[in-house]
Every structure is written in structure tokens, then in C-alpha cells.
Amino acid sequence: MSETEIKKRKRVKSMKWEAELIEIIEETPDVRTFRFDKPKDFDFIPGQFVMVFFPDVFGRKNRAYSIASSPTNPDYLDLTIKLYGLFTHHMFSLHEGSIWHLRGPYGKFVLDLDRNNDILLLGAGVGVTPLMSMIRYSTDLKLDRKFLLLYSNKRPKDIIYHEELMQIERANPNVKIIYTLTRLKEHLKVTWPGLTGRIDADMVREAVLEWQKDLGDNRERPTSLACGPIPMLETQEKVLLELGWPKEDILYEKFW
Ligand SMILES: Cc1cc2nc3c(=O)[nH]c(=O)nc-3n(C[C@H](O)[C@H](O)[C@H](O)COP(=O)(O)OP(=O)(O)OC[C@H]3O[C@@H](n4cnc5c(N)ncnc54)[C@H](O)[C@@H]3O)c2cc1C
């Protein structure tokens, strides 16, 4: 991507439009990706979200959803959504061809396109969606930015994008992923190659120190971006501040 294109992307304007649902992808037992046609004039920065409305059903009520696809994808826009309450039950009842009212993009929880620094990502469950957009973008453009994703889920079958993440890790040496599972059955622990337990202070400290050792000395200061439950966001800040990271390099997105 040229410098001009990157600059243009940084001035993205929000718009509203009626989006046609073109595909539904079952990701895990309770998570689906809803794929929409992407309007020609819609652009966003990896990490941003859109607001979703169903005016005929919920009037002016809306919900926010991070865009999981990369802005480099010219054809479609993906929202990956976990079944939960009012809106998501309605969404999960809809079929291809249905029309969703979208408005966006919004948000400052983004990959900084002015920098070329390395990126630490902490994600839990469906909180991985904005992080996935960043990884897909950087992989598509073959950027020289190293990513470490520390990614927590309940069980192996709950790991959203598992197949694609493994492919990315094989194809892009700049991306490293550490998986942790919080509800792995005892008898599966022998064969599970990743970590177990929630993302806690020791896990973050150890992963970051190891990653930074691998990065070497001559890299620009990294940024950390976390999306998941509040205790994980607090852990991110506490550990990274202790390790001497400046506060402005520690970002988070809160879904709930
Ligand atoms: C910037 C932003 C980006 C978001 N991106 C995504 C995304 O990419 N994918 C996605 O699935 N959701 C995302 N969300 C959450 C989304 O906006 C809704 O809150 C969610 O889908 C639940 O909506 P609902 O109407 O089904 O549930 P509601 O009927 O609103 O649920 C009732 C209550 O449960 C809480 N709640 C909802 N879901 C959970 C949960 N999983 N765990 C714990 N508490 C919860 C809510 O705070 C609410 O008080 C995002 C939120 C924000 C603010």
C-alpha cells in the first residue's frame, strides 16, 4: 500500500448504509461470522467498529461490533458475533439476504498506521475480533511488524479463527500466538500444546519478556492492545507499567 493510501485511510469518514448479509460462517458453538458486501466508499482502520441497528425491530437501540476483516479486503466486511442477549438472538435468527443497518467506522482502539512498531495483543474469546483485523491487515501487506497474540478461550472448540490463525503463523514468521485454555478437561491436558488458565500477571510477564528477547535490541518501542474481560485489561496495564512501558503504549477496548 502506498503512503498516500495509508494517509487516506487515516482520515476515514463514518457513513451509514443498508448492508446485505451475504454469508454466515459458523466459527464455534456460539460464535458466527456475518459477512456483508462492502460499499466502495467505506474504509476503516484495523481495530475500529460499526454500530448495528434493526430499526423495524429495536427502533433506535443499537450495538457495537468490531470489524474482524482487514480493510485490505475490497469485497466484504466481517462481523464476528457471540450469541448472548437481545440483539444477538435476533441476529442469529437472520438468513443470507437479510438487510442490516450499519453505521461507522468508529473508535480509537486501532493499529497505529503512522508507526511500524511491534505489537503485543491480548485477547479473550470474542475480544479477538479487532485484533484479528490487525493481524490480517499486517499479514496481507507483509508489514515488517512483529505480533505476539496471547489468546485465551474456554475449550479447544471455542477458539475462534483457530484454523486461519495456524495458517497465518505458518505463513507469516512475524506472527506468534500463545493459546491458553481456561476449561480444558483434565484428560486432555497431556496432549494440549498450549497453556492453561486465565491470562494472569505471570503469564503476561513471561510471554512479554520472552518475546522481547526474541525481538532483539534495535526495534521501535512496541504497543500493546487488549480486548477481553476487565481483569485481563487491568493485568495488562499493571504488568506492562511494572516492566517500564509508557502508559500511552498500552491500549484496550471494553466490550461490556
Ligand atoms: C466497541 C465494541 C465492540 C464490540 N465488538 C463486538 C464483537 O466484535 N463481537 C461481539 O460478539 N460483541 C461485540 N461487542 C459487544 C456487543 O456490542 C453487545 O454488547 C453484545 O453482542 C451483546 O448484545 P445483546 O443485545 O445480545 O446482549 P444484551 O441483551 O445487551 O445483554 C445483556 C447484558 O449482558 C452484557 N453482556 C453481553 N454480552 C456479554 C458477554 N459475552 N459476557 C459478559 N457480559 C455480556 C451486556 O453488558 C448487557 O448488560 C462490542 C462492544 C463494543 C462496545
Side-chain angles (χ1 to χ4, degrees), residues 31 47 49-50 62-68 79-89 91 126-127 129-130 227 253-256:
V31 174
F49 62 90
V50 289
N62 55 42
R63 295 287 185 272
Y65 293 94
S66 301
I67 304 168
L79 304 181
T80 297
I81 298 180
K82 180 174 171 162
L83 182 63
Y84 198 81
L86 187 65
F87 264 62
T88 50
H89 273 89
M91 291 162 167
V126 81
T129 52
C227 186
E253 185 80 290
K254 236 166 49 184
F255 277 7
W256 300 289

PDB file of all heavy atoms in Angstrom, residues 31 47 49-50 62-68 79-89 91 126-127 129-130 227 253-256, ligand 1:
ATOM      1  N   VAL A  31     -20.499 -18.790  18.270  1.00  0.00           N
ATOM      2  CA  VAL A  31     -19.967 -17.596  17.588  1.00  0.00           C
ATOM      3  C   VAL A  31     -20.101 -17.775  16.075  1.00  0.00           C
ATOM      4  O   VAL A  31     -19.749 -18.826  15.533  1.00  0.00           O
ATOM      5  CB  VAL A  31     -18.480 -17.352  17.961  1.00  0.00           C
ATOM      6  CG1 VAL A  31     -17.897 -16.203  17.152  1.00  0.00           C
ATOM      7  CG2 VAL A  31     -18.331 -17.067  19.457  1.00  0.00           C
ATOM      8  N   GLY A  47      -9.160  -2.418  13.810  1.00  0.00           N
ATOM      9  CA  GLY A  47      -9.472  -2.196  15.229  1.00  0.00           C
ATOM     10  C   GLY A  47     -10.766  -1.423  15.423  1.00  0.00           C
ATOM     11  O   GLY A  47     -11.344  -1.445  16.507  1.00  0.00           O
ATOM     12  N   PHE A  49     -14.834  -0.185  14.904  1.00  0.00           N
ATOM     13  CA  PHE A  49     -16.100  -0.921  14.982  1.00  0.00           C
ATOM     14  C   PHE A  49     -17.205  -0.183  14.230  1.00  0.00           C
ATOM     15  O   PHE A  49     -17.040   0.988  13.853  1.00  0.00           O
ATOM     16  CB  PHE A  49     -16.506  -1.140  16.448  1.00  0.00           C
ATOM     17  CG  PHE A  49     -16.757   0.122  17.233  1.00  0.00           C
ATOM     18  CD1 PHE A  49     -18.016   0.689  17.285  1.00  0.00           C
ATOM     19  CD2 PHE A  49     -15.723   0.737  17.940  1.00  0.00           C
ATOM     20  CE1 PHE A  49     -18.256   1.849  18.017  1.00  0.00           C
ATOM     21  CE2 PHE A  49     -15.944   1.899  18.680  1.00  0.00           C
ATOM     22  CZ  PHE A  49     -17.213   2.455  18.717  1.00  0.00           C
ATOM     23  N   VAL A  50     -18.322  -0.900  14.016  1.00  0.00           N
ATOM     24  CA  VAL A  50     -19.526  -0.266  13.442  1.00  0.00           C
ATOM     25  C   VAL A  50     -20.679  -0.432  14.440  1.00  0.00           C
ATOM     26  O   VAL A  50     -20.649  -1.338  15.283  1.00  0.00           O
ATOM     27  CB  VAL A  50     -19.948  -0.902  12.094  1.00  0.00           C
ATOM     28  CG1 VAL A  50     -18.967  -0.556  10.991  1.00  0.00           C
ATOM     29  CG2 VAL A  50     -20.124  -2.410  12.200  1.00  0.00           C
ATOM     30  N   ASN A  62     -29.124   0.196  19.510  1.00  0.00           N
ATOM     31  CA  ASN A  62     -28.075  -0.355  18.651  1.00  0.00           C
ATOM     32  C   ASN A  62     -27.039  -1.102  19.480  1.00  0.00           C
ATOM     33  O   ASN A  62     -27.093  -1.072  20.700  1.00  0.00           O
ATOM     34  CB  ASN A  62     -27.415   0.758  17.831  1.00  0.00           C
ATOM     35  CG  ASN A  62     -26.887   1.868  18.721  1.00  0.00           C
ATOM     36  OD1 ASN A  62     -26.306   1.597  19.769  1.00  0.00           O
ATOM     37  ND2 ASN A  62     -27.099   3.116  18.341  1.00  0.00           N
ATOM     38  N   ARG A  63     -26.115  -1.755  18.797  1.00  0.00           N
ATOM     39  CA  ARG A  63     -24.992  -2.433  19.453  1.00  0.00           C
ATOM     40  C   ARG A  63     -23.749  -2.192  18.607  1.00  0.00           C
ATOM     41  O   ARG A  63     -23.845  -2.029  17.387  1.00  0.00           O
ATOM     42  CB  ARG A  63     -25.220  -3.947  19.546  1.00  0.00           C
ATOM     43  CG  ARG A  63     -26.379  -4.373  20.434  1.00  0.00           C
ATOM     44  CD  ARG A  63     -26.079  -4.211  21.915  1.00  0.00           C
ATOM     45  NE  ARG A  63     -27.139  -4.733  22.759  1.00  0.00           N
ATOM     46  CZ  ARG A  63     -28.205  -4.034  23.159  1.00  0.00           C
ATOM     47  NH1 ARG A  63     -28.357  -2.774  22.780  1.00  0.00           N
ATOM     48  NH2 ARG A  63     -29.107  -4.595  23.942  1.00  0.00           N
ATOM     49  N   ALA A  64     -22.580  -2.220  19.285  1.00  0.00           N
ATOM     50  CA  ALA A  64     -21.301  -2.006  18.578  1.00  0.00           C
ATOM     51  C   ALA A  64     -20.662  -3.352  18.240  1.00  0.00           C
ATOM     52  O   ALA A  64     -20.712  -4.268  19.060  1.00  0.00           O
ATOM     53  CB  ALA A  64     -20.361  -1.222  19.491  1.00  0.00           C
ATOM     54  N   TYR A  65     -20.055  -3.451  17.060  1.00  0.00           N
ATOM     55  CA  TYR A  65     -19.310  -4.660  16.690  1.00  0.00           C
ATOM     56  C   TYR A  65     -18.017  -4.280  15.971  1.00  0.00           C
ATOM     57  O   TYR A  65     -18.033  -3.521  14.998  1.00  0.00           O
ATOM     58  CB  TYR A  65     -20.161  -5.600  15.817  1.00  0.00           C
ATOM     59  CG  TYR A  65     -21.299  -6.141  16.638  1.00  0.00           C
ATOM     60  CD1 TYR A  65     -22.541  -5.518  16.616  1.00  0.00           C
ATOM     61  CD2 TYR A  65     -21.103  -7.194  17.530  1.00  0.00           C
ATOM     62  CE1 TYR A  65     -23.570  -5.941  17.450  1.00  0.00           C
ATOM     63  CE2 TYR A  65     -22.132  -7.627  18.364  1.00  0.00           C
ATOM     64  CZ  TYR A  65     -23.353  -7.002  18.324  1.00  0.00           C
ATOM     65  OH  TYR A  65     -24.349  -7.404  19.161  1.00  0.00           O
ATOM     66  N   SER A  66     -16.915  -4.831  16.465  1.00  0.00           N
ATOM     67  CA  SER A  66     -15.616  -4.591  15.833  1.00  0.00           C
ATOM     68  C   SER A  66     -15.599  -5.258  14.465  1.00  0.00           C
ATOM     69  O   SER A  66     -16.188  -6.328  14.288  1.00  0.00           O
ATOM     70  CB  SER A  66     -14.501  -5.200  16.678  1.00  0.00           C
ATOM     71  OG  SER A  66     -14.511  -4.630  17.953  1.00  0.00           O
ATOM     72  N   ILE A  67     -14.888  -4.666  13.547  1.00  0.00           N
ATOM     73  CA  ILE A  67     -14.773  -5.256  12.211  1.00  0.00           C
ATOM     74  C   ILE A  67     -13.613  -6.252  12.255  1.00  0.00           C
ATOM     75  O   ILE A  67     -12.494  -5.893  12.637  1.00  0.00           O
ATOM     76  CB  ILE A  67     -14.523  -4.173  11.143  1.00  0.00           C
ATOM     77  CG1 ILE A  67     -15.633  -3.119  11.214  1.00  0.00           C
ATOM     78  CG2 ILE A  67     -14.417  -4.799   9.756  1.00  0.00           C
ATOM     79  CD1 ILE A  67     -15.353  -1.855  10.413  1.00  0.00           C
ATOM     80  N   ALA A  68     -13.915  -7.498  11.914  1.00  0.00           N
ATOM     81  CA  ALA A  68     -12.903  -8.542  12.054  1.00  0.00           C
ATOM     82  C   ALA A  68     -12.071  -8.725  10.787  1.00  0.00           C
ATOM     83  O   ALA A  68     -10.938  -9.194  10.846  1.00  0.00           O
ATOM     84  CB  ALA A  68     -13.584  -9.859  12.404  1.00  0.00           C
ATOM     85  N   LEU A  79     -18.303  -9.258  10.559  1.00  0.00           N
ATOM     86  CA  LEU A  79     -18.547  -9.039  11.982  1.00  0.00           C
ATOM     87  C   LEU A  79     -18.632 -10.429  12.606  1.00  0.00           C
ATOM     88  O   LEU A  79     -19.384 -11.274  12.118  1.00  0.00           O
ATOM     89  CB  LEU A  79     -19.852  -8.282  12.213  1.00  0.00           C
ATOM     90  CG  LEU A  79     -19.997  -6.939  11.497  1.00  0.00           C
ATOM     91  CD1 LEU A  79     -21.347  -6.313  11.846  1.00  0.00           C
ATOM     92  CD2 LEU A  79     -18.855  -5.984  11.857  1.00  0.00           C
ATOM     93  N   THR A  80     -17.852 -10.668  13.645  1.00  0.00           N
ATOM     94  CA  THR A  80     -17.871 -11.977  14.309  1.00  0.00           C
ATOM     95  C   THR A  80     -18.531 -11.792  15.661  1.00  0.00           C
ATOM     96  O   THR A  80     -18.067 -10.996  16.487  1.00  0.00           O
ATOM     97  CB  THR A  80     -16.438 -12.527  14.429  1.00  0.00           C
ATOM     98  OG1 THR A  80     -15.931 -12.733  13.115  1.00  0.00           O
ATOM     99  CG2 THR A  80     -16.420 -13.844  15.177  1.00  0.00           C
ATOM    100  N   ILE A  81     -19.646 -12.510  15.860  1.00  0.00           N
ATOM    101  CA  ILE A  81     -20.553 -12.158  16.953  1.00  0.00           C
ATOM    102  C   ILE A  81     -20.876 -13.369  17.814  1.00  0.00           C
ATOM    103  O   ILE A  81     -21.172 -14.453  17.301  1.00  0.00           O
ATOM    104  CB  ILE A  81     -21.838 -11.541  16.358  1.00  0.00           C
ATOM    105  CG1 ILE A  81     -21.448 -10.259  15.596  1.00  0.00           C
ATOM    106  CG2 ILE A  81     -22.866 -11.251  17.456  1.00  0.00           C
ATOM    107  CD1 ILE A  81     -22.593  -9.524  14.951  1.00  0.00           C
ATOM    108  N   LYS A  82     -20.824 -13.148  19.134  1.00  0.00           N
ATOM    109  CA  LYS A  82     -21.147 -14.222  20.079  1.00  0.00           C
ATOM    110  C   LYS A  82     -22.604 -14.117  20.501  1.00  0.00           C
ATOM    111  O   LYS A  82     -23.080 -13.024  20.843  1.00  0.00           O
ATOM    112  CB  LYS A  82     -20.237 -14.085  21.295  1.00  0.00           C
ATOM    113  CG  LYS A  82     -20.486 -15.130  22.325  1.00  0.00           C
ATOM    114  CD  LYS A  82     -19.473 -15.050  23.426  1.00  0.00           C
ATOM    115  CE  LYS A  82     -19.935 -15.984  24.520  1.00  0.00           C
ATOM    116  NZ  LYS A  82     -18.921 -16.337  25.436  1.00  0.00           N
ATOM    117  N   LEU A  83     -23.292 -15.263  20.481  1.00  0.00           N
ATOM    118  CA  LEU A  83     -24.697 -15.295  20.891  1.00  0.00           C
ATOM    119  C   LEU A  83     -24.793 -14.960  22.369  1.00  0.00           C
ATOM    120  O   LEU A  83     -24.118 -15.583  23.190  1.00  0.00           O
ATOM    121  CB  LEU A  83     -25.249 -16.703  20.628  1.00  0.00           C
ATOM    122  CG  LEU A  83     -26.721 -16.926  20.940  1.00  0.00           C
ATOM    123  CD1 LEU A  83     -27.603 -16.053  20.065  1.00  0.00           C
ATOM    124  CD2 LEU A  83     -27.090 -18.394  20.734  1.00  0.00           C
ATOM    125  N   TYR A  84     -25.606 -13.955  22.709  1.00  0.00           N
ATOM    126  CA  TYR A  84     -25.696 -13.571  24.114  1.00  0.00           C
ATOM    127  C   TYR A  84     -27.107 -13.191  24.539  1.00  0.00           C
ATOM    128  O   TYR A  84     -27.787 -13.945  25.201  1.00  0.00           O
ATOM    129  CB  TYR A  84     -24.693 -12.449  24.430  1.00  0.00           C
ATOM    130  CG  TYR A  84     -24.456 -12.346  25.905  1.00  0.00           C
ATOM    131  CD1 TYR A  84     -23.584 -13.209  26.544  1.00  0.00           C
ATOM    132  CD2 TYR A  84     -25.147 -11.424  26.674  1.00  0.00           C
ATOM    133  CE1 TYR A  84     -23.394 -13.174  27.913  1.00  0.00           C
ATOM    134  CE2 TYR A  84     -24.960 -11.367  28.046  1.00  0.00           C
ATOM    135  CZ  TYR A  84     -24.081 -12.246  28.659  1.00  0.00           C
ATOM    136  OH  TYR A  84     -23.904 -12.198  30.009  1.00  0.00           O
ATOM    137  N   GLY A  85     -27.560 -11.973  24.154  1.00  0.00           N
ATOM    138  CA  GLY A  85     -28.846 -11.470  24.654  1.00  0.00           C
ATOM    139  C   GLY A  85     -29.746 -10.978  23.538  1.00  0.00           C
ATOM    140  O   GLY A  85     -29.853 -11.590  22.467  1.00  0.00           O
ATOM    141  N   LEU A  86     -30.367  -9.819  23.775  1.00  0.00           N
ATOM    142  CA  LEU A  86     -31.420  -9.295  22.911  1.00  0.00           C
ATOM    143  C   LEU A  86     -31.035  -9.232  21.424  1.00  0.00           C
ATOM    144  O   LEU A  86     -31.655  -9.870  20.574  1.00  0.00           O
ATOM    145  CB  LEU A  86     -31.767  -7.881  23.429  1.00  0.00           C
ATOM    146  CG  LEU A  86     -32.945  -7.191  22.805  1.00  0.00           C
ATOM    147  CD1 LEU A  86     -34.230  -7.946  23.124  1.00  0.00           C
ATOM    148  CD2 LEU A  86     -33.035  -5.738  23.311  1.00  0.00           C
ATOM    149  N   PHE A  87     -30.023  -8.436  21.098  1.00  0.00           N
ATOM    150  CA  PHE A  87     -29.660  -8.242  19.685  1.00  0.00           C
ATOM    151  C   PHE A  87     -29.122  -9.511  19.055  1.00  0.00           C
ATOM    152  O   PHE A  87     -29.460  -9.861  17.933  1.00  0.00           O
ATOM    153  CB  PHE A  87     -28.608  -7.121  19.564  1.00  0.00           C
ATOM    154  CG  PHE A  87     -29.192  -5.788  19.258  1.00  0.00           C
ATOM    155  CD1 PHE A  87     -30.080  -5.190  20.148  1.00  0.00           C
ATOM    156  CD2 PHE A  87     -28.878  -5.111  18.082  1.00  0.00           C
ATOM    157  CE1 PHE A  87     -30.635  -3.951  19.871  1.00  0.00           C
ATOM    158  CE2 PHE A  87     -29.429  -3.877  17.795  1.00  0.00           C
ATOM    159  CZ  PHE A  87     -30.308  -3.288  18.686  1.00  0.00           C
ATOM    160  N   THR A  88     -28.247 -10.190  19.785  1.00  0.00           N
ATOM    161  CA  THR A  88     -27.568 -11.322  19.150  1.00  0.00           C
ATOM    162  C   THR A  88     -28.540 -12.479  18.887  1.00  0.00           C
ATOM    163  O   THR A  88     -28.382 -13.189  17.895  1.00  0.00           O
ATOM    164  CB  THR A  88     -26.352 -11.767  19.983  1.00  0.00           C
ATOM    165  OG1 THR A  88     -26.757 -11.932  21.333  1.00  0.00           O
ATOM    166  CG2 THR A  88     -25.250 -10.736  19.919  1.00  0.00           C
ATOM    167  N   HIS A  89     -29.574 -12.641  19.726  1.00  0.00           N
ATOM    168  CA  HIS A  89     -30.565 -13.669  19.414  1.00  0.00           C
ATOM    169  C   HIS A  89     -31.297 -13.323  18.123  1.00  0.00           C
ATOM    170  O   HIS A  89     -31.567 -14.190  17.299  1.00  0.00           O
ATOM    171  CB  HIS A  89     -31.544 -13.873  20.580  1.00  0.00           C
ATOM    172  CG  HIS A  89     -31.013 -14.865  21.564  1.00  0.00           C
ATOM    173  ND1 HIS A  89     -30.218 -14.512  22.624  1.00  0.00           N
ATOM    174  CD2 HIS A  89     -31.114 -16.226  21.609  1.00  0.00           C
ATOM    175  CE1 HIS A  89     -29.860 -15.609  23.280  1.00  0.00           C
ATOM    176  NE2 HIS A  89     -30.387 -16.654  22.688  1.00  0.00           N
ATOM    177  N   MET A  91     -30.031 -11.497  15.653  1.00  0.00           N
ATOM    178  CA  MET A  91     -29.075 -11.670  14.551  1.00  0.00           C
ATOM    179  C   MET A  91     -28.933 -13.138  14.148  1.00  0.00           C
ATOM    180  O   MET A  91     -28.855 -13.473  12.961  1.00  0.00           O
ATOM    181  CB  MET A  91     -27.699 -11.150  14.978  1.00  0.00           C
ATOM    182  CG  MET A  91     -27.650  -9.647  15.147  1.00  0.00           C
ATOM    183  SD  MET A  91     -26.204  -9.208  16.126  1.00  0.00           S
ATOM    184  CE  MET A  91     -26.150  -7.444  15.836  1.00  0.00           C
ATOM    185  N   VAL A 126     -14.387 -13.673  22.162  1.00  0.00           N
ATOM    186  CA  VAL A 126     -14.774 -12.859  21.006  1.00  0.00           C
ATOM    187  C   VAL A 126     -14.048 -11.507  20.992  1.00  0.00           C
ATOM    188  O   VAL A 126     -14.063 -10.788  19.987  1.00  0.00           O
ATOM    189  CB  VAL A 126     -16.319 -12.731  20.946  1.00  0.00           C
ATOM    190  CG1 VAL A 126     -16.841 -11.670  21.884  1.00  0.00           C
ATOM    191  CG2 VAL A 126     -16.790 -12.484  19.527  1.00  0.00           C
ATOM    192  N   GLY A 127     -13.346 -11.198  22.061  1.00  0.00           N
ATOM    193  CA  GLY A 127     -12.490  -9.995  22.114  1.00  0.00           C
ATOM    194  C   GLY A 127     -11.361 -10.049  21.088  1.00  0.00           C
ATOM    195  O   GLY A 127     -10.670  -9.059  20.854  1.00  0.00           O
ATOM    196  N   THR A 129     -11.763 -10.165  17.958  1.00  0.00           N
ATOM    197  CA  THR A 129     -12.180  -9.643  16.639  1.00  0.00           C
ATOM    198  C   THR A 129     -11.374  -8.419  16.156  1.00  0.00           C
ATOM    199  O   THR A 129     -10.872  -8.450  15.038  1.00  0.00           O
ATOM    200  CB  THR A 129     -13.698  -9.334  16.592  1.00  0.00           C
ATOM    201  OG1 THR A 129     -14.030  -8.501  17.683  1.00  0.00           O
ATOM    202  CG2 THR A 129     -14.515 -10.597  16.630  1.00  0.00           C
ATOM    203  N   PRO A 130     -11.217  -7.355  16.967  1.00  0.00           N
ATOM    204  CA  PRO A 130     -10.446  -6.222  16.437  1.00  0.00           C
ATOM    205  C   PRO A 130      -8.973  -6.579  16.234  1.00  0.00           C
ATOM    206  O   PRO A 130      -8.312  -6.052  15.328  1.00  0.00           O
ATOM    207  CB  PRO A 130     -10.599  -5.138  17.513  1.00  0.00           C
ATOM    208  CG  PRO A 130     -10.965  -5.862  18.773  1.00  0.00           C
ATOM    209  CD  PRO A 130     -11.715  -7.091  18.332  1.00  0.00           C
ATOM    210  N   CYS A 227      -8.203  -6.792  24.435  1.00  0.00           N
ATOM    211  CA  CYS A 227      -9.658  -6.762  24.360  1.00  0.00           C
ATOM    212  C   CYS A 227     -10.198  -8.044  25.001  1.00  0.00           C
ATOM    213  O   CYS A 227      -9.880  -9.143  24.552  1.00  0.00           O
ATOM    214  CB  CYS A 227     -10.081  -6.663  22.894  1.00  0.00           C
ATOM    215  SG  CYS A 227     -11.852  -6.450  22.703  1.00  0.00           S
ATOM    216  N   GLU A 253      -9.766  -2.155  24.640  1.00  0.00           N
ATOM    217  CA  GLU A 253     -11.161  -1.965  24.204  1.00  0.00           C
ATOM    218  C   GLU A 253     -12.038  -2.771  25.141  1.00  0.00           C
ATOM    219  O   GLU A 253     -11.731  -3.929  25.429  1.00  0.00           O
ATOM    220  CB  GLU A 253     -11.328  -2.495  22.772  1.00  0.00           C
ATOM    221  CG  GLU A 253     -12.680  -2.271  22.154  1.00  0.00           C
ATOM    222  CD  GLU A 253     -12.853  -0.853  21.607  1.00  0.00           C
ATOM    223  OE1 GLU A 253     -12.931   0.101  22.409  1.00  0.00           O
ATOM    224  OE2 GLU A 253     -12.897  -0.711  20.375  1.00  0.00           O
ATOM    225  N   LYS A 254     -13.110  -2.113  25.638  1.00  0.00           N
ATOM    226  CA  LYS A 254     -14.017  -2.803  26.560  1.00  0.00           C
ATOM    227  C   LYS A 254     -15.311  -3.096  25.822  1.00  0.00           C
ATOM    228  O   LYS A 254     -15.963  -2.182  25.338  1.00  0.00           O
ATOM    229  CB  LYS A 254     -14.299  -1.869  27.756  1.00  0.00           C
ATOM    230  CG  LYS A 254     -13.959  -2.495  29.059  1.00  0.00           C
ATOM    231  CD  LYS A 254     -13.900  -1.565  30.235  1.00  0.00           C
ATOM    232  CE  LYS A 254     -15.061  -0.654  30.392  1.00  0.00           C
ATOM    233  NZ  LYS A 254     -14.942   0.286  31.485  1.00  0.00           N
ATOM    234  N   PHE A 255     -15.722  -4.367  25.727  1.00  0.00           N
ATOM    235  CA  PHE A 255     -16.962  -4.726  25.032  1.00  0.00           C
ATOM    236  C   PHE A 255     -18.170  -4.568  25.952  1.00  0.00           C
ATOM    237  O   PHE A 255     -19.264  -4.288  25.517  1.00  0.00           O
ATOM    238  CB  PHE A 255     -16.913  -6.180  24.562  1.00  0.00           C
ATOM    239  CG  PHE A 255     -16.187  -6.406  23.248  1.00  0.00           C
ATOM    240  CD1 PHE A 255     -15.498  -5.391  22.619  1.00  0.00           C
ATOM    241  CD2 PHE A 255     -16.219  -7.657  22.638  1.00  0.00           C
ATOM    242  CE1 PHE A 255     -14.839  -5.607  21.423  1.00  0.00           C
ATOM    243  CE2 PHE A 255     -15.567  -7.876  21.432  1.00  0.00           C
ATOM    244  CZ  PHE A 255     -14.877  -6.861  20.833  1.00  0.00           C
ATOM    245  N   TRP A 256     -17.959  -4.872  27.277  1.00  0.00           N
ATOM    246  CA  TRP A 256     -19.094  -4.868  28.196  1.00  0.00           C
ATOM    247  C   TRP A 256     -18.806  -4.005  29.394  1.00  0.00           C
ATOM    248  O   TRP A 256     -17.679  -3.887  29.816  1.00  0.00           O
ATOM    249  CB  TRP A 256     -19.413  -6.305  28.655  1.00  0.00           C
ATOM    250  CG  TRP A 256     -19.735  -7.140  27.473  1.00  0.00           C
ATOM    251  CD1 TRP A 256     -20.861  -7.057  26.707  1.00  0.00           C
ATOM    252  CD2 TRP A 256     -18.911  -8.137  26.844  1.00  0.00           C
ATOM    253  NE1 TRP A 256     -20.793  -7.925  25.667  1.00  0.00           N
ATOM    254  CE2 TRP A 256     -19.609  -8.608  25.721  1.00  0.00           C
ATOM    255  CE3 TRP A 256     -17.655  -8.662  27.117  1.00  0.00           C
ATOM    256  CZ2 TRP A 256     -19.102  -9.586  24.875  1.00  0.00           C
ATOM    257  CZ3 TRP A 256     -17.151  -9.626  26.300  1.00  0.00           C
ATOM    258  CH2 TRP A 256     -17.855 -10.090  25.182  1.00  0.00           C
TER     259      TRP A 256
HETATM  260  C1  LIG B   1     -16.559  -1.207  20.777  1.00  0.00           C
HETATM  261  C2  LIG B   1     -17.313  -2.519  20.949  1.00  0.00           C
HETATM  262  C3  LIG B   1     -17.062  -3.565  20.058  1.00  0.00           C
HETATM  263  C4  LIG B   1     -17.733  -4.774  20.203  1.00  0.00           C
HETATM  264  N1  LIG B   1     -17.450  -5.779  19.334  1.00  0.00           N
HETATM  265  C5  LIG B   1     -18.065  -6.984  19.479  1.00  0.00           C
HETATM  266  C6  LIG B   1     -17.740  -8.071  18.596  1.00  0.00           C
HETATM  267  O1  LIG B   1     -16.912  -7.944  17.687  1.00  0.00           O
HETATM  268  N2  LIG B   1     -18.402  -9.245  18.789  1.00  0.00           N
HETATM  269  C7  LIG B   1     -19.337  -9.426  19.795  1.00  0.00           C
HETATM  270  O2  LIG B   1     -19.905 -10.525  19.907  1.00  0.00           O
HETATM  271  N3  LIG B   1     -19.644  -8.401  20.643  1.00  0.00           N
HETATM  272  C8  LIG B   1     -19.046  -7.205  20.499  1.00  0.00           C
HETATM  273  N4  LIG B   1     -19.388  -6.170  21.341  1.00  0.00           N
HETATM  274  C9  LIG B   1     -20.486  -6.372  22.330  1.00  0.00           C
HETATM  275  C10 LIG B   1     -21.837  -6.045  21.656  1.00  0.00           C
HETATM  276  O3  LIG B   1     -21.946  -4.644  21.418  1.00  0.00           O
HETATM  277  C11 LIG B   1     -23.040  -6.444  22.526  1.00  0.00           C
HETATM  278  O4  LIG B   1     -22.901  -5.895  23.814  1.00  0.00           O
HETATM  279  C12 LIG B   1     -23.196  -7.947  22.640  1.00  0.00           C
HETATM  280  O5  LIG B   1     -23.325  -8.549  21.366  1.00  0.00           O
HETATM  281  C13 LIG B   1     -24.428  -8.323  23.470  1.00  0.00           C
HETATM  282  O6  LIG B   1     -25.571  -7.757  22.898  1.00  0.00           O
HETATM  283  P1  LIG B   1     -27.009  -8.415  23.143  1.00  0.00           P
HETATM  284  O7  LIG B   1     -28.025  -7.414  22.742  1.00  0.00           O
HETATM  285  O8  LIG B   1     -27.062  -9.769  22.537  1.00  0.00           O
HETATM  286  O9  LIG B   1     -26.988  -8.654  24.709  1.00  0.00           O
HETATM  287  P2  LIG B   1     -27.739  -7.769  25.815  1.00  0.00           P
HETATM  288  O10 LIG B   1     -29.187  -8.127  25.808  1.00  0.00           O
HETATM  289  O11 LIG B   1     -27.322  -6.352  25.660  1.00  0.00           O
HETATM  290  O12 LIG B   1     -27.018  -8.406  27.083  1.00  0.00           O
HETATM  291  C14 LIG B   1     -27.393  -8.105  28.379  1.00  0.00           C
HETATM  292  C15 LIG B   1     -26.203  -7.698  29.244  1.00  0.00           C
HETATM  293  O13 LIG B   1     -25.113  -8.618  29.192  1.00  0.00           O
HETATM  294  C16 LIG B   1     -23.845  -7.965  28.998  1.00  0.00           C
HETATM  295  N5  LIG B   1     -23.085  -8.850  28.083  1.00  0.00           N
HETATM  296  C17 LIG B   1     -23.364  -9.010  26.768  1.00  0.00           C
HETATM  297  N6  LIG B   1     -22.556  -9.950  26.221  1.00  0.00           N
HETATM  298  C18 LIG B   1     -21.755 -10.397  27.241  1.00  0.00           C
HETATM  299  C19 LIG B   1     -20.721 -11.370  27.320  1.00  0.00           C
HETATM  300  N7  LIG B   1     -20.370 -12.134  26.249  1.00  0.00           N
HETATM  301  N8  LIG B   1     -20.101 -11.563  28.507  1.00  0.00           N
HETATM  302  C20 LIG B   1     -20.459 -10.864  29.590  1.00  0.00           C
HETATM  303  N9  LIG B   1     -21.441  -9.915  29.581  1.00  0.00           N
HETATM  304  C21 LIG B   1     -22.077  -9.680  28.422  1.00  0.00           C
HETATM  305  C22 LIG B   1     -24.151  -6.598  28.450  1.00  0.00           C
HETATM  306  O14 LIG B   1     -23.315  -5.621  29.049  1.00  0.00           O
HETATM  307  C23 LIG B   1     -25.610  -6.351  28.896  1.00  0.00           C
HETATM  308  O15 LIG B   1     -25.638  -5.630  30.088  1.00  0.00           O
HETATM  309  C24 LIG B   1     -18.692  -4.949  21.244  1.00  0.00           C
HETATM  310  C25 LIG B   1     -18.945  -3.884  22.124  1.00  0.00           C
HETATM  311  C26 LIG B   1     -18.262  -2.698  21.998  1.00  0.00           C
HETATM  312  C27 LIG B   1     -18.548  -1.572  22.965  1.00  0.00           C
END
